[in-house]
């Protein structure tokens, strides 16, 4: 029996409706700023989606488009201004940045309570300590999509393929909080299929088109595909969707799976950031 498709757009809409409801009930309007530096077409499309959804749910929104040759000091000055702004509660600096910019330095410059992406060392450290204040949005999206299946997470064998600080590591930590048994695989893992075939829950985030084949997936597994790979035939994931869906129990499509949910988590993070920041900007 083919897998049930996890509709990221549908699940995301439920969260966005809740965000919209909270904003309407709030005495203060949450503000989100997005900084886009350079001429990355994919980033431009993604930021457009974020802006569209932010305005739909009622956030105050500011967008800054910077040239490819923007200096690091100019970018850091803008971040400092947004850190001090009373209108802005959450901030996103769209990655990747131009090659001459130090990404770590830029991310570190964002005040932790305004970090809508959840990428600052403080927020990642909070996650390690089971303090989920502002969780990396894509990792949070993966967990919520898994939960949307209604399947139990506790005690399940879970494999995360990928170890980035944006997705892999945070997803692993979130699943540990849910009492799953977690294995992290990466580019140096030998015999990857031996691990993935035993996973009740499989999260793949490596950026390699169709890396995960049908014979690498356990029958009935939940498969979350975070990959976004451009090919001549369109955007595809890290999972061989058409074949893997024949054995998986649940699977996310690409596009239409993790992407829409990530945006919903970013906007919800902005709401959480407003709550966190109330004591800082009085």
């Amino acid at each position: 029996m083919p897998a049930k498709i996890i509709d990221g757009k549908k699940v995301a809409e439920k969260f966005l409706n809740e965000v919209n409801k909270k904003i309407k009930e709030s005495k203060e309007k949450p503000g989100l700023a997005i900084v886009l530096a350079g001429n990355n077409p994919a980033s431009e499309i993604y930021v457009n989606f974020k802006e569209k959804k932010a305005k739909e749910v009622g956030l105050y929104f500011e967008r800054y488009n910077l040239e490819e040759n923007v200096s690091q000091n100019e970018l850091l000055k803008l971040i400092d201004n947004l850190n001090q702004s009373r209108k802005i509660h959450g901030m996103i600096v769209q990655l990747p940045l131009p090659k001459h910019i130090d990404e770590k330095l830029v991310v570190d410059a964002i005040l932790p309570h305004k970090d809508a992406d959840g990428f600052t060392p403080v927020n990642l450290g909070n996650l390690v300590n089971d303090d989920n204040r502002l969780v990396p949005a894509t990792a949070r999206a993966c967990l919520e999509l898994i939960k949307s299946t209604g399947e139990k997470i506790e005690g399940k064998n879970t494999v995360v393929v990928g170890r980035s600080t944006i997705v892999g590591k945070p997803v692993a930590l979130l699943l540990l909080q849910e009492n799953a048994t977690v294995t992290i695989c990466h580019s140096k893992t030998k015999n990857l299929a031996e691990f993935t075939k035993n996973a009740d829950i499989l999260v793949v985030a490596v950026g390699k088109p169709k890396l995960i084949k049908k014979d690498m997936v356990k029958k009935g597994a939940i498969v979350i595909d975070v990959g976004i790979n451009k090919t001549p035939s369109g955007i595809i994931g890290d999972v061989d969707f058409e074949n893997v869906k024949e054995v998986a129990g649940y699977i996310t499509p690409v596009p239409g799976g993790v992407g829409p949910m990530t945006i919903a988590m970013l906007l919800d993070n902005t709401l959480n950031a407003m709550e966190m920041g109330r004591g800082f900007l009085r």
Side-chain angles (χ1 to χ4, degrees), residues 39-74:
N39 306 306
N40 185 311
S43 292
E44 179 79 24
I45 292 170
Y46 203 31
V47 168
N48 287 342
F49 277 125
K50 291 175 183 176
E51 179 176 2
K52 180 175 180 287
K53 290 299 180 182
K55 290 178 177 178
E56 283 180 4
V57 299
L59 268 71
Y60 169 73
F61 186 84
E62 292 182 5
R63 175 172 174 166
Y64 296 86
N65 292 321
L66 308 178
E67 298 295 330
E68 182 78 24
N69 62 354
V70 64
S71 73
Q72 187 160 282
N73 284 339
E74 287 178 275

Side-chain angles (χ1 to χ4, degrees), residues 2 8 21 32 62 79 100 123 130 149 153 179-180 191 236 267:
K21 181 182 177 182
L32 173 66
E62 292 182 5
I79 291 171
H100 64 282
N123 286 320
D130 297 339
T149 67
I153 299 175
N179 296 316
N191 301 317
I236 62 174
L267 302 185

Side-chain angles (χ1 to χ4, degrees), residues 34-47 50 66-68 70 75 92-104 106-107 117 119 166 228 230:
I34 296 184
V35 179
L36 176 61
N39 306 306
N40 185 311
S43 292
E44 179 79 24
I45 292 170
Y46 203 31
V47 168
K50 291 175 183 176
L66 308 178
E67 298 295 330
E68 182 78 24
V70 64
L75 180 52
I92 297 168
V93 178
Q94 186 67 35
L95 303 179
L97 291 169
K99 292 182 179 180
H100 64 282
I101 303 290
D102 185 334
E103 285 190 1
K104 287 188 177 181
V106 168
V107 171
D117 262 328
F119 290 165
I166 295 174
I228 299 177
K230 285 186 174 182

Side-chain angles (χ1 to χ4, degrees), residues 73-237:
N73 284 339
E74 287 178 275
L75 180 52
L76 290 172
K77 185 177 180 180
L78 173 58
I79 291 171
D80 184 55
N81 289 338
L82 293 172
N83 278 337
Q84 305 308 317
S85 173
R86 291 176 179 267
K87 290 183 178 181
I88 299 302
H89 303 94
M91 185 193 321
I92 297 168
V93 178
Q94 186 67 35
L95 303 179
L97 291 169
K99 292 182 179 180
H100 64 282
I101 303 290
D102 185 334
E103 285 190 1
K104 287 188 177 181
L105 187 65
V106 168
V107 171
D108 287 359
I110 300 171
L111 287 175
H113 66 273
K114 288 197 174 189
D115 175 25
D117 262 328
F119 290 165
T120 61
V122 170
N123 286 320
L124 289 173
N126 286 337
L127 182 58
V128 171
N129 287 320
D130 297 339
D131 184 357
N132 299 356
R133 299 189 187 191
L134 291 173
V135 176
T138 303
R140 190 179 165 205
C142 292
L143 180 63
E144 294 297 342
L145 290 171
I146 294 168
K147 287 183 175 181
S148 75
T149 67
E151 297 291 328
K152 183 181 178 182
I153 299 175
E154 183 175 336
K156 293 293 177 67
N157 288 328
T158 303
V159 172
V160 179
V161 185
R163 54 179 169 177
S164 73
T165 55
I166 295 174
V167 185
K169 291 175 184 175
V171 166
L173 290 168
L174 288 173
L175 288 168
L176 283 172
Q177 289 179 12
E178 299 291 330
N179 296 316
T181 299
V182 182
T183 300
I184 300 178
C185 297
H186 45 77
S187 60
K188 304 300 181 184
T189 299
K190 294 180 180 179
N191 301 317
L192 177 63
E194 290 185 10
F195 295 93
T196 60
K197 282 190 295 187
N198 291 314
D200 301 306
I201 300 170
L202 177 62
V203 181
V204 191
V206 289
K208 292 186 177 180
K210 297 185 178 182
L211 172 69
I212 303 299
K213 307 297 184 184
K214 180 178 179 179
D215 61 357
M216 298 172 69
V217 177
K218 182 179 181 179
K219 186 176 181 180
I222 298 172
V223 180
I224 305 296
D225 188 353
V226 188
I228 299 177
N229 305 287
K230 285 186 174 182
T231 70
S233 57
I235 295 175
I236 62 174

